[in-house]
């Protein structure tokens, strides 16, 4: 794992990924769960760097492969926040390649995690995205439903209590 961190610091991201993946295999083979979590956190960061670079270059399919690896790493690390972020990024990438059904699936997963984690800002982001995607697909009623949920969240607390 130390070599992976060193390679990452000198921006040899692919080398870093290789070292971390080898370390993860060994930790999994020997069932050393605290190391699995730690290495998974390192891999999460490395995979995210690669996914972001690929997305910026327009290589969305490759970016999605690495976001999927990010998702797996966040689950192994028991990192709910990063798991939600992976779903969010995957949903946005599917929007960019115009696979709106998949985008909805991943944004809904993001929304579920935001609700579970009590992330109001995340919930608002998800409802807004879902409203926009459904509108683009011509699903006006579903768009309205999500935008109403967003508006409901934006109401002041005392107004919600009076209804």
């Amino acid at each position: 794992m130390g070599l992976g961190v060193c390679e990452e610091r000198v921006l040899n991201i692919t080398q870093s990924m290789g070292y971390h993946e080898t370390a993860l295999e060994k930790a999994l083979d020997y069932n050393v769960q605290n190391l699995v979590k730690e290495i998974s956190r390192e891999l999460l960061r490395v995979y995210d760097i690669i996914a972001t670079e690929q997305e910026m270059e327009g290589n969305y399919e490759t970016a999605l492969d690495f976001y999927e690896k990010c998702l797996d790493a966040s689950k192994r690390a028991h990192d709910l926040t990063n798991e939600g972020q992976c779903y969010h990024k995957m949903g946005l990438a599917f929007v960019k390649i115009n696979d709106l059904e998949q985008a909805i699936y991943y944004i809904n997963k993001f929304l579920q995690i935001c609700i579970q984690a009590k992330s109001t800002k995340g919930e608002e982001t998800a409802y807004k995205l879902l409203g926009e995607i459904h509108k683009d697909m011509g699903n006006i009623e579903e768009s309205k439903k999500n935008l109403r949920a967003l508006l409901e969240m934006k109401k002041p607390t005392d107004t919600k209590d009076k209804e």
Side-chain angles (χ1 to χ4, degrees):
M1 193 169 77
L3 286 173
V5 172
C6 290
E7 292 293 347
E8 183 183 350
R9 290 208 175 125
V10 295
L11 303 178
N12 291 333
I13 302 301
T14 305
Q15 265 318 93
S16 173
M17 179 179 68
Y19 285 125
H20 287 311
E21 288 175 340
T22 300
L24 179 63
E25 285 176 28
K26 299 234 183 257
L28 288 168
D29 286 346
Y30 293 102
N31 198 27
V32 184
Q33 289 305 309
N34 62 332
L35 273 179
V36 168
K37 286 174 74 171
E38 189 177 339
I39 296 165
S40 293
R41 281 191 294 270
E42 298 292 336
L43 275 169
L44 173 62
R45 189 175 59 247
V46 170
Y47 291 149
D48 188 60
I49 290 168
I50 296 169
T52 302
E53 287 174 352
Q54 291 299 311
E55 194 170 357
M56 287 174 27
E57 292 174 10
N59 302 322
Y60 298 109
E61 296 295 332
T62 303
L64 283 163
D65 290 342
F66 279 96
Y67 285 137
E68 187 71 43
K69 289 180 179 215
C70 286
L71 183 59
D72 293 340
S74 64
K75 288 178 181 180
R76 276 192 310 273
H78 305 287
D79 187 336
L80 192 63
T81 300
N82 275 312
E83 185 178 338
Q85 288 303 311
C86 291
Y87 284 125
H88 181 225
K89 290 175 182 181
M90 291 174 80
L92 293 175
F94 277 112
V95 167
K96 290 178 183 173
I97 61 172
N98 205 34
D99 188 342
L100 302 182
E101 291 291 335
Q102 283 291 92
I104 287 170
Y105 171 80
Y106 285 101
I107 299 300
N108 271 317
K109 296 291 274 183
F110 170 57
L111 174 60
Q112 291 167 6
I113 287 176
C114 291
I115 291 168
Q116 183 181 349
K118 298 186 184 338
S119 170
T120 303
K121 184 177 179 189
E123 281 184 65
E124 290 173 354
T125 299
Y127 283 128
K128 181 177 184 278
L129 283 168
L130 288 167
E132 291 170 355
I133 295 167
H134 280 292
K135 178 186 67 86
D136 292 345
M137 293 177 70
N139 301 334
I140 302 306
E141 289 307 311
E142 197 62 31
S143 177
K144 286 181 186 178
K145 181 181 111 182
N146 284 285
L147 294 174
R148 278 190 206 105
L150 173 61
L151 288 173
E152 189 64 31
M153 293 188 75
K154 295 278 190 182
K155 282 185 179 178
T157 307
D158 61 328
T159 305
K160 289 181 192 175
D161 295 337
K162 291 178 184 176
E163 291 180 3

